[in-house]
């Protein structure tokens, strides 16, 4: 198996890991968004979706494990590659001219870090039960006063209804603003990543390259807009209790 | 010294000469090959292909180049193509026709047996290159495309866009690096050969300078191969690379290798003219432009437009048709704008000397595409020459679709070089010379797409056999750099470098080089005469004397010092120029790239003198300041009848 | 025209180096950028000062020797041009121009603006060739090659090995250079026998030299004076991934 570790430790190998894990996470993001957009179908639909997810049992843990591994691999590979990249140019240029001023590719690192930070916040904010932190941060976050805790430890959960959670959570302007900014970052990250991953895997075709690049940007934009619609709708009162 | 200049080419039918010769010469036992070390200097087409092939055979090869990588030699800049008599076009080509065209094109001053061999192995070069992955142009059926080039009547030129030299060199370079990987070849870049070490009359090693550390090093081997290119930079402005130089050849010449036909230089007609004194080199525009472009100058001198002298004249677009002098079309009605390179170049010089020239200092003529654009449409012209027009516009800032191009001839290739026999060995046993650095195959003028052919023929298919003959005869020698000859040569080199560094004068190296170039192009360029040559001789001596008193070479010898590199090269050009002038003086005839004004027909065409000058002039160095001594190899033409070239 | 040059001067590989300021006076707008530097250098030489070290050879955009970072751009920002093809008419009188060497761990500075690009040679040595002994080749027409394929191969083969891709890449990667050679040879029928061995060996050497990775910024492609397309990188990736399976079966 020496060849495998050698491959995975190579720059291209690490990029392959990033592409594959990125692909998994992109899949999740799209599914997650589609599910969440049920908020527009009303409280009943969203709450039913929420409890459906709660009740798929072990499968939920498989999914969570998969996502956590993908995230870990993505972040770890990115970290190694970034450190190597810094090492590859020990002396920086005094001035740098950008030939291809692509905002998308150049913000991958910052976007990635921002999304990572957001992720922590997001989990604490809307799914505090995972960490059993309902008495901690969740309790002091505005919007959770209506909930009560059921069970304890890892199996503890807040019982207040997903829909209510969403509406309460996003009624706070700065929280919504934070979400929207994060979604813009996520959209940009996807806009470059979804195209780049195919190139990393060598699965591109010069004839469809422009199409692929356009598709990636469109998916990114869709994710950013789709997800942002939820806090915006709450703020403008389109979605309410 | 006494030299017997015998080519050693086998007698008998020329068609089988090379086969018979290969059988007759000795072969090194495969198991012993690794005991022989060959030092190859230069990694252009000839050097890289030779080093790679010798490595493949199992010899212990060390390859040197002054560039930072073996891939960068100036062969890379060849645009047009490479000839071979494959007859893929079914247009009647044959080895015989390629042989015949090359001897005739060289104005009957090359060695028949060498040229025939060249024509024979040319086909193998194409096979070899294709197998290496050289992406030659192809037709839709997947087979190789050919084009007609340089006025040849058959389509025998293979090409890879406008980068044939690059692709062939990369093929050779990659084969070389494969041998580096296999451990048979060691490439030593950023290293310049500064002298040849001769032990008991045989070439046994070289002295080099590491261009990064400045260290002088001695290398010993069983044979030395020079593949160090031509001497066109003696003109300062040429199409050669900035670093192209005569040092290795000239040093070898001072150690006993005769220098043959140094007067022969090809001046290419279609180059971009100089723009000013700061001009550092000239850029070649493909010869193919003459297929559709019409060459002209204003009939009235007053109309000639010269930015350099702020002479206004008239813009070319404003000069009416009848006031334009289409001198090639008028003088050569049959061939018109497609006359051979040497004829076109001289004709340009004649009109410019007459004051009708345009561009900087009146050294330029128009190459006009207005007719072609009118006849074929701009799109067709764009398809054919788009990339060349773009290149031209980038350099000059002019748009050739709107205003005529300006062109002028520039030194491009040198047919002369160190004298070699049929085995490509010089008059110093063990010193082999290949590619442009030798003199053998192009006579007095080289045809288009033949330089790449000769470089690779020598490297892939001739030298690897013939060097074995010398090595097998002599047996492996100890690679011993502690011999006194190494120390003595190294000391001389060191002293020379020290001298250059301690002059502390006021004139830059380039400034001297420019002065030399001016004398050479004016008096030893496209047209020469006895008076001019004699005065050139005196002027070159003066420049050389001032050089050794007043050159400024800052810095020291313990590191990268580009001024010192240049100074050494220019110092050698200053010495070499003299033998070149002597050769031009001696050859009282006009042939190919050598035009003596005293020897022309009534219509101003070159007048050969086969009676007295059908020989190779090989010059022996006889000490500093002394006149070189002439040795002759008489040329016999058993297969090609000598005729006067005519392009009327 | 007159210009102010801010030039990186570094005496040798171990020297620390610093920017120095020079004035270029009375430069013709028809001069090439390197001729402008020649003029500055001749001025320095005739004063007995060491000229600015920079490399060039063919000065017609094909040898790949010249190159430095001019105002932050490898070979200057002129599209599809090596530095020797850049002319002063692209600058304005009074401009200040910054000249830096190509910066990469794999390209150590030798002097001033001269870097050591021998890493490229080692990448080619690792496998950038088709093994064919002189004399052993079959007739050139034995294998017809579709024109489209041959043209794509040529697009990649046009690489001049100047290193601008490395200099321009935010990660100092040599993926375009290596990908170009892999693509040139791996597309051709002649290149098939060594296809996976080649890419494996070349990529391993690439890593060893300390070049960075590809983030598909496309800076390399835009800086490339020969227009080598980005696809060469994905083709190399594909073959490298493929090699993990093919070389083990």
């Amino acid at each position: 198996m020496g060849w495998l570790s050698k491959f995975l430790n190579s720059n291209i190998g690490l990029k392959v890991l990033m592409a594959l894990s990125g692909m998994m996470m992109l899949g999740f993001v799209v599914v997650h968004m589609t599910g969440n957009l049920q908020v527009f179908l009303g409280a009943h639909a969203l709450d039913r979706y929420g409890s459906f997810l709660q009740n798929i049992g072990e499968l939920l843990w498989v999914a969570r494990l998969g996502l956590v591994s993908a995230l870990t691999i993505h972040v770890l590979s990115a970290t190694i590659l970034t450190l190597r990249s810094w090492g590859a140019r020990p002396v920086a240029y005094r001035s740098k001219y950008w030939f291809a001023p692509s905002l998308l590719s150049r913000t991958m690192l910052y976007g990635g870090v921002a999304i990572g930070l957001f992720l922590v916040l997001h989990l604490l904010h809307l799914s505090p039960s995972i960490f059993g932190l309902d008495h901690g941060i969740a309790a002091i976050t505005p919007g959770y006063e209506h909930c009560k805790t059921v069970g304890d430890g890892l199996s503890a959960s807040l019982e207040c209804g997903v829909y209510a959670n969403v509406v309460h959570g996003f009624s706070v302007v700065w929280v919504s603003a934070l979400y929207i900014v994060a979604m813009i970052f996520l959209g940009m990250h996807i806009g470059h990543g979804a195209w780049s991953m195919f190139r990393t895997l060598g699965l591109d075709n010069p004839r469809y390259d422009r199409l692929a690049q356009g598709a990636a940007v469109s998916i990114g934009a869709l994710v950013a807009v789709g997800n942002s619609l939820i806090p915006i709708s709450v703020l403008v009162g389109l979605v309410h209790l | 010294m006494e030299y017997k200049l015998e080519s050693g080419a086998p007698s008998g039918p020329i068609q089988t000469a090379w086969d018979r010769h290969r059988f007759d010469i000795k072969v090194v036992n495969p198991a012993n090959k690794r005991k022989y070390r060959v030092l190859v200097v230069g990694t252009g087409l000839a050097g890289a292909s030779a080093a790679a092939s010798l490595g493949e055979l199992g010899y212990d090869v060390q390859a040197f180049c002054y560039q930072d990588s073996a891939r960068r030699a100036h062969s890379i800049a060849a645009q047009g193509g490479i000839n071979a008599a494959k007859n893929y076009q079914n247009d009647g080509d044959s080895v015989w026709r390629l042989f015949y065209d090359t001897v005739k094109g060289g104005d009957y001053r090359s060695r028949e047996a060498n040229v025939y061999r060249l024509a024979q192995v040319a086909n193998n070069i194409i096979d070899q290159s294709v197998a290496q992955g050289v992406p030659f142009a192809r037709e839709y059926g997947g087979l190789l495309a050919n084009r007609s080039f340089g006025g040849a009547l058959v389509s025998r030129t293979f090409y890879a866009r406008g980068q044939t030299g690059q692709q062939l060199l990369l093929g050779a370079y990659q084969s070389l690096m494969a041998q580096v990987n296999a451990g048979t070849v060691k490439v030593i870049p950023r290293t310049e050969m500064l002298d040849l070490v001769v032990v008991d009359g045989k070439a046994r090693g070289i002295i080099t300078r590491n261009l990064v550390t400045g260290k002088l090093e001695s290398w010993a081997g069983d044979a030395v191969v020079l593949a160090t290119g031509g001497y066109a930079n003696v003109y300062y402005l040429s199409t050669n690379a900035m670093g192209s130089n005569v040092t290795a050849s000239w040093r070898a010449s001072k150690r006993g290798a005769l220098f043959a036909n140094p007067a022969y230089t090809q001046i290419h007609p279609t180059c971009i003219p100089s723009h000013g004194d700061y001009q550092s080199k000239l850029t070649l525009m493909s010869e193919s432009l003459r297929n559709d472009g019409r060459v002209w100058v204003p009939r009235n001198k007053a109309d000639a437009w010269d930015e350099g002298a702020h002479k206004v004249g008239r813009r070319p677009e404003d000069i009416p048709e009848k006031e334009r002098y289409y001198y090639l079309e008028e003088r050569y009605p049959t061939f018109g704008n497609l006359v051979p390179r040497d004829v076109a170049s001289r004709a340009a010089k004649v009109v410019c000397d007459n004051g009708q020239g345009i561009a900087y200092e009146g050294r330029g003529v128009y190459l006009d595409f207005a007719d072609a654009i009118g006849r074929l449409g701009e799109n067709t012209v764009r398809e054919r020459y788009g990339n060349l027009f773009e290149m031209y516009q980038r350099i000059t800032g002019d748009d050739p679709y709107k205003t005529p191009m300006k062109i002028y001839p520039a030194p491009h290739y040198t047919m002369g070089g160190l004298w070699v026999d049929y085995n490509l060995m010089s008059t110093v046993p063990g010193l082999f010379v290949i590619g442009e650095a030798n003199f053998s195959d192009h006579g007095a003028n080289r045809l288009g797409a033949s330089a790449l052919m000769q470089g690779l023929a020598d490297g892939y298919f001739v030298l690897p056999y013939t060097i074995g003959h010398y090595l097998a005869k002599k047996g492996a020698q100890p690679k011993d750099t502690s011999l006194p000859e190494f120390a003595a040569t190294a000391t001389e080199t060191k002293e020379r470098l020290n001298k250059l560094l301690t002059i502390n004068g006021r004139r830059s190296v380039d400034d001297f080089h420019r002065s030399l170039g001016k004398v050479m192009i004016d008096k030893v360029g496209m047209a020469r005469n006895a008076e001019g040559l004699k005065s050139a001789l005196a002027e070159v001596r003066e420049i050389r004397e001032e050089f050794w008193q007043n050159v400024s070479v800052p810095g020291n010898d313990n590191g990268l010092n580009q001024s010192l590199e240049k100074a050494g090269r220019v110092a050698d050009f200053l010495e070499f120029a003299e033998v070149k002038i002597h050769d031009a003086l001696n050859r009282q005839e006009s042939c190919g790239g050598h035009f003596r004004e005293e020897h022309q027909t009534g219509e101003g065409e070159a007048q050969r003198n086969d009676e007295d000058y059908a020989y190779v002039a090989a010059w022996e160095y006889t000490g500093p300041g002394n006149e070189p001594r002439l040795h002759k190899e008489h040329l016999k033409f058993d297969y090609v009848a000598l005729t006067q070239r005519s392009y009327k | 025209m007159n210009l102010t040059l801010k030039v990186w001067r570094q005496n040798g590989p171990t020297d620390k180096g610093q920017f120095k300021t020079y004035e270029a006076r009375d430069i013709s707008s028809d001069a090439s950028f390197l001729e402008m530097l020649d003029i500055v250098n001749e001025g320095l030489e005739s004063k007995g000062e060491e000229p600015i070290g920079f490399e060039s050879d063919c000065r017609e955009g094909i040898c790949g020797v010249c190159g430095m970072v001019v105002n932050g751009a490898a070979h200057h920002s002129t599209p599809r041009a090596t530095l020797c093809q850049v002319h002063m008419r692209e600058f304005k009188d009074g401009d200040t121009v910054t000249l830096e060497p190509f910066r990469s761990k794999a390209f150590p500075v030798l002097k001033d603006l001269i870097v050591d690009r021998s890493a490229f040679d080692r990448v080619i040595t690792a496998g950038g060739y088709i093994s064919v002994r002189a004399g052993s080749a079959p007739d050139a027409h034995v294998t017809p090659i579709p024109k489209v394929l041959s043209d794509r191969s040529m697009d990649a083969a046009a690489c001049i090995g100047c290193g601008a891709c490395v200099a321009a890449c935010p990660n100092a990667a040599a993926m375009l250079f290596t990908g170009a050679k892999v693509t040139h040879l791996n597309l051709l029928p002649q290149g098939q026998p060594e296809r996976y061995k080649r890419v494996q060996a070349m990529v391993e050497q690439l890593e060893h030299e300390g070049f960075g990775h590809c983030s598909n910024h496309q800076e390399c492609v835009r800086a490339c004076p020969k227009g080598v397309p980005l696809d060469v990188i994905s083709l190399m990736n594909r073959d490298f991934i493929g090699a993990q399976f093919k070389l083990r079966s």
Side-chain angles (χ1 to χ4, degrees):
Chain A
M1 292 306 268
W3 66 270
L4 187 64
S5 62
K6 203 157 100 182
F7 169 68
L8 293 179
N9 192 36
S10 72
N11 286 341
I12 297 179
L14 286 165
K15 285 291 291 186
V16 166
L17 289 178
M18 286 195 73
L20 294 175
S21 55
M23 215 175 259
M24 270 182 73
M25 290 191 288
L26 175 59
F28 166 76
V29 163
V30 171
V31 170
H32 187 45
M33 177 181 76
T34 318
N36 288 352
L37 284 175
Q38 293 181 62
V39 75
F40 293 107
L41 299 177
H44 180 66
L46 192 66
D47 286 347
R48 200 193 53 181
Y49 171 61
S51 58
F52 160 73
L53 286 183
Q54 290 288 334
N55 293 327
I56 54 173
E58 275 69 44
L59 265 178
L60 188 65
W61 281 104
V62 173
R64 282 174 176 165
L65 206 69
L67 280 174
V68 169
S69 328
L71 182 70
T72 314
I73 289 173
H74 202 75
V75 170
L76 224 74
S77 312
T79 310
I80 299 172
L81 284 169
T82 305
L83 290 176
R84 284 190 194 171
S85 162
W86 291 346
R89 176 163 296 131
V91 184
Y93 291 115
R94 178 182 251 201
S95 55
K96 169 74 183 141
Y97 173 88
W98 289 92
F99 284 93
S102 159
L103 196 65
L104 297 185
S105 71
R106 281 167 63 187
T107 48
M108 287 305 273
L109 176 60
Y110 315 112
V113 171
I115 294 162
L117 292 175
F118 163 74
L119 210 57
V120 176
L121 220 90
H122 176 52
L123 289 174
L124 295 177
H125 183 217
L126 286 182
S127 329
S129 58
I130 294 177
F131 302 99
L133 285 175
D134 44 320
H135 297 300
I137 295 171
I140 58 163
T141 309
Y144 284 94
E145 297 86 356
H146 63 288
C147 304
K148 58 177 190 290
T149 312
V150 181
D152 53 15
L154 268 178
S155 58
S157 65
L158 279 175
E159 205 155 87
C160 44
V162 180
Y163 188 85
N165 262 350
V166 168
V167 176
H168 281 296
F170 289 138
S171 302
V172 187
V173 177
W174 69 264
V175 171
S176 287
L178 204 80
Y179 266 74
I180 293 168
V181 169
M183 285 311 111
I184 292 172
F185 270 119
L186 181 62
M188 286 166 65
H189 203 76
I190 292 170
H192 181 72
W195 166 74
S196 187
M197 64 173 100
F198 286 99
R199 294 204 149 263
T200 299
L201 298 172
L203 297 176
D204 65 304
N205 183 322
R207 269 174 71 186
Y208 304 118
D209 188 53
R210 289 181 77 99
L211 195 73
Q213 210 164 354
V217 172
S218 309
I219 295 172
L222 224 65
V223 167
V225 172
N227 278 333
S228 299
L229 272 181
I230 302 172
I232 290 171
S233 304
V234 170
L235 282 182
V236 300
L238 213 66
V239 170
H240 53 85
L241 282 175
Chain B
M1 244 182 92
E2 275 310 302
Y3 288 97
K4 270 199 292 188
L5 295 185
E6 279 169 7
S7 73
S11 51
I14 200 167
Q15 293 89 337
T16 57
W18 177 230
D19 280 347
R20 285 181 283 118
H21 188 70
R22 277 194 294 175
F23 179 73
D24 289 339
I25 57 181
K26 284 188 188 302
V27 177
V28 178
N29 178 338
N32 286 340
K33 283 193 174 121
R34 63 186 167 76
K35 295 180 189 158
Y36 291 92
R37 180 177 299 159
V38 183
L39 310 177
V40 181
V41 187
T43 57
L45 284 175
S49 59
S53 305
L54 292 169
E56 287 160 8
L57 287 170
Y59 291 110
D60 171 12
V61 182
Q62 295 178 334
F64 302 82
C65 63
Y66 75 77
Q67 296 91 346
D68 69 322
S69 162
R71 67 181 289 152
R72 306 208 195 274
H74 198 57
S75 308
I76 206 156
Q79 300 168 2
I82 177 165
N83 286 332
K86 282 280 193 185
N87 195 28
Y88 283 156
Q89 305 304 319
N90 200 26
D91 54 2
D93 201 7
S94 62
V95 168
W96 190 267
R97 188 183 283 277
L98 177 55
F99 157 66
Y100 177 89
D101 286 354
T102 307
V103 173
K104 181 188 173 201
D107 220 355
Y108 311 97
R109 290 295 175 263
S110 50
R111 195 188 281 150
E112 273 189 338
N114 282 51
V115 178
Y116 193 86
R117 175 176 66 187
L118 175 66
Q120 272 178 309
V121 302
N123 287 344
N124 304 49
I125 298 171
I126 303 302
D127 300 340
Q128 177 68 21
S129 308
V130 167
Q132 285 170 347
V134 171
F136 283 126
R138 285 178 186 266
E139 292 161 357
Y140 281 100
L143 300 179
L144 293 165
N146 290 114
R147 61 180 166 202
S148 154
F149 199 76
L153 298 171
V154 289
S155 283
R156 62 159 73 104
T157 303
F158 295 80
Y159 61 99
R161 299 198 182 140
Q163 293 131 273
T164 319
Q166 180 202 24
Q167 292 310 313
L168 290 170
L169 181 61
L170 291 182
Y173 157 76
Q174 285 161 207
S175 291
L176 179 66
M177 296 328 255
Q179 290 308 304
V180 171
N181 200 11
T184 58
V185 178
K186 198 169 166 230
V187 174
I188 299 133
R190 290 195 190 274
T191 300
E192 183 164 24
M193 169 180 160
L194 291 183
D195 217 331
L196 178 74
V197 180
V198 179
V199 180
D200 296 332
K202 296 186 178 65
R204 287 288 300 280
I206 57 173
I207 306 292
T208 63
R209 179 168 181 271
N210 180 320
L211 299 181
V212 178
T213 64
K215 199 173 157 222
L216 283 186
E217 288 168 295
S218 299
W219 309 80
D222 292 279
V224 176
V225 179
L226 294 191
T228 49
Y231 47 80
N233 269 349
V234 71
Y235 293 97
Y236 183 65
L237 290 181
S238 79
T239 65
N240 278 193
M242 303 299 286
S244 299
N245 66 80
V246 78
T247 291
S249 297
W250 183 243
R251 295 279 127 199
S253 172
K254 291 178 89 166
R255 300 275 170 205
L258 301 190
F259 212 113
N261 300 335
Y264 295 161
T265 304
Q266 180 163 84
I267 312 234
H268 197 291
T270 47
C271 300
I272 300 175
S274 170
H275 278 90
D277 284 337
Y278 53 82
Q279 188 84 28
S280 59
K281 78 151 267 166
L282 298 169
T283 302
L284 178 80
M285 299 295 293
S286 169
E287 197 159 24
S288 64
L289 288 170
R290 283 198 283 144
N291 289 342
D292 285 307
R294 297 178 71 195
V295 180
W296 64 276
V297 288
R299 271 195 204 281
N300 307 320
K301 291 176 201 174
D303 291 344
W305 193 47
D306 176 354
E307 307 99 335
H310 302 291
K311 185 178 151 201
V312 181
R314 275 159 97 186
R315 293 201 58 96
E317 305 86 88
D318 302 335
I319 301 177
E321 193 66 17
K322 63 179 191 330
E323 288 172 39
R324 297 174 173 194
Y325 178 27
Y326 293 93
Y327 58 91
L328 288 178
E329 294 171 22
E330 286 186 27
R331 282 183 65 186
Y332 308 98
T334 313
F335 276 71
N337 293 300
L338 291 173
V339 291
R341 291 176 179 179
D342 53 337
V343 178
S345 293
R346 264 197 310 278
K349 179 176 159 52
V350 169
V351 292
C352 291
D353 285 349
N354 194 36
Q356 293 165 287
I358 47 101
Y360 183 71
E361 293 190 328
R363 291 283 144 195
V365 298
Y366 291 121
L367 180 62
D368 198 337
F369 287 86
D371 262 18
I373 291 170
R375 182 164 36 91
L376 306 163
E378 191 170 316
N379 278 339
T380 309
V381 171
R382 192 182 301 276
E383 264 168 43
R384 287 187 192 168
Y385 309 110
N387 56 340
L388 293 167
F389 279 27
E390 198 185 308
M391 174 168 114
Y392 179 85
Q393 186 165 13
R394 197 195 288 279
I395 293 173
T396 62
D398 287 345
D399 178 4
Y401 294 103
K402 300 206 168 72
T403 185
M405 279 186 178
K406 293 171 207 151
I407 54 161
Y408 197 66
H412 177 55
Y413 183 90
T414 58
M415 285 72 70
L418 292 178
W419 185 89
V420 289
D421 62 13
Y422 192 64
N423 286 337
L424 304 181
M425 190 163 83
S426 71
T427 48
V428 176
L431 177 69
F432 292 79
V433 189
I434 57 177
E436 190 180 352
N438 75 22
F439 86 102
S440 65
D441 297 356
H442 304 298
N445 178 47
R446 178 179 64 75
L447 290 179
S450 283
L452 304 184
M453 173 172 72
Q454 184 229 339
L456 290 177
D458 287 358
Y460 284 131
F461 299 114
V462 180
L463 182 84
Y465 302 104
T466 58
I467 202 171
H469 178 62
Y470 171 78
L471 296 173
K473 246 181 16 186
K474 197 169 64 92
Q477 306 288 315
K479 301 350 155 214
D480 184 7
T481 54
S482 65
L483 290 168
E485 286 85 350
F486 279 92
T489 315
T491 308
E492 277 178 47
T493 308
K494 180 85 194 153
E495 280 167 3
R496 206 170 119 85
L497 293 174
N498 282 345
K499 200 166 158 195
L500 287 168
L501 284 164
T502 49
I503 296 169
N504 295 325
R506 309 303 306 167
R507 267 182 84 184
S508 68
V509 177
D510 282 342
D511 202 25
F512 282 102
H513 199 172
R514 247 190 310 269
S515 301
L516 171 68
K518 179 139 181 50
V519 174
M520 296 304 284
I521 196 71
D522 285 350
K523 294 174 174 165
V524 204
M526 281 172 276
R528 301 128 185 218
N529 59 56
E531 196 192 341
L533 289 169
K534 279 178 195 151
S535 94
L537 208 51
E539 286 172 59
V540 167
R541 277 186 196 147
E542 259 172 50
I543 297 170
R544 190 171 63 229
E545 271 160 34
E546 198 202 328
F547 177 88
W548 285 104
Q549 318 234 317
N550 194 25
V551 72
S552 162
V553 185
N556 57 44
D557 191 19
N558 325 322
L560 208 156
N561 187 340
Q562 293 176 310
S563 307
L564 182 62
E565 294 167 27
K566 282 195 285 188
R569 293 170 193 160
V570 171
D572 286 328
F573 275 127
L574 283 166
E575 290 179 14
F576 163 77
E578 228 177 278
V579 72
K580 182 174 167 70
I581 299 169
H582 276 295
D583 188 37
L585 257 174
N586 170 68
R587 191 165 286 279
Q588 295 180 44
E589 64 162 350
S590 296
C591 60
H594 170 70
F595 187 82
R596 282 287 296 265
E597 288 167 348
E598 304 94 319
H599 304 279
Q600 46 184 313
T601 63
E603 291 152 319
E605 301 306 321
Q607 179 90 59
R608 247 183 19 242
N609 177 351
D610 295 327
E611 191 86 7
D612 300 318
Y613 290 96
Y615 65 75
V616 177
W619 297 87
E620 178 191 353
Y621 178 79
T622 55
N626 294 348
E627 284 200 9
R629 189 178 300 133
L630 173 65
H631 301 265
K632 298 176 184 175
E633 178 199 341
H634 288 278
L635 294 168
K636 285 213 312 267
F637 293 90
D638 297 327
Y639 298 90
V640 182
L642 279 71
T643 56
Q644 192 73 38
R645 293 192 307 161
S646 172
Y647 298 95
K648 286 276 169 193
Chain C
M1 58 170 71
N2 298 318
L3 302 122
T4 305
L5 308 180
K6 303 230 180 266
V7 185
W8 180 261
R9 297 301 305 257
Q10 180 175 338
N11 218 350
T14 52
D15 186 34
K16 218 168 149 267
Q18 56 177 324
F19 281 96
K20 282 198 176 153
T21 306
Y22 298 89
E23 299 295 322
R25 298 255 158 257
D26 299 326
I27 306 296
S28 158
S29 62
D30 277 334
S32 74
F33 188 83
L34 297 184
E35 283 166 350
M36 179 274 292
L37 282 181
D38 287 342
I39 294 170
V40 172
N41 272 348
E42 272 200 66
L44 291 174
E45 273 184 328
S46 52
K47 282 190 286 182
E49 287 176 42
E50 274 203 60
I52 300 161
F54 71 92
E55 283 189 290
S56 76
D57 209 21
C58 78
R59 294 211 178 178
E60 49 188 273
I62 192 74
C63 72
V65 168
C66 70
M68 62 182 83
V69 170
V70 177
N71 287 340
H75 291 302
H76 188 245
S77 52
T78 317
R80 305 265 323 236
T82 57
L83 189 56
C84 62
Q85 294 175 310
V86 173
H87 284 72
M88 296 312 293
R89 65 182 78 91
E90 296 183 36
F91 294 82
K92 288 194 301 289
D93 187 32
D95 274 359
T96 298
V97 186
T98 309
L99 282 68
E100 299 173 75
F102 286 175
R103 296 285 191 196
S104 155
K105 184 182 156 208
F107 288 173
V109 174
L110 293 176
K111 181 174 184 163
D112 300 344
L113 304 167
I114 303 173
V115 296
D116 176 4
R117 283 169 294 201
S118 53
F120 274 7
D121 278 334
R122 292 188 289 274
V123 169
I124 299 294
T125 302
Y129 46 78
I130 291 170
S131 301
V132 48
R133 273 191 319 280
S136 58
D139 186 88
H141 269 177
V142 162
T143 315
I145 302 173
K147 182 171 160 48
V148 188
L149 200 62
S150 169
D151 284 350
R152 269 188 74 197
S153 175
M154 179 65 209
D155 288 341
C159 167
I160 56 173
C162 64
C165 48
V166 176
C169 176
N171 305 321
M175 297 289 276
L176 195 70
F177 167 80
T178 313
K181 191 45 69 190
V182 168
T183 302
H184 162 209
L185 299 176
N186 281 12
L187 281 180
L188 296 172
Q190 302 93 305
Q192 295 313 307
E194 293 168 298
R195 177 174 184 168
Y196 295 106
K197 185 170 164 276
R198 171 180 306 120
V199 69
Q200 179 74 29
M202 289 178 77
V203 170
E204 274 179 25
Q205 188 63 35
L206 193 63
E207 305 270 328
H208 181 75
E209 298 292 345
F211 291 107
H213 66 283
C214 174
S215 313
N216 286 309
H217 286 292
Q218 305 194 65
E219 283 293 297
C220 56
V221 178
R222 307 291 174 87
C224 175
K226 295 294 145 182
V228 171
L230 189 66
D231 304 316
V232 303
I233 298 179
S234 20
L235 193 136
M236 172 167 69
N237 287 343
R238 185 193 313 166
D239 279 2
F240 183 65
I241 295 166
Q244 308 314 314
F245 303 99
K246 304 275 175 156
L247 291 181
R248 263 153 278 280
S249 55

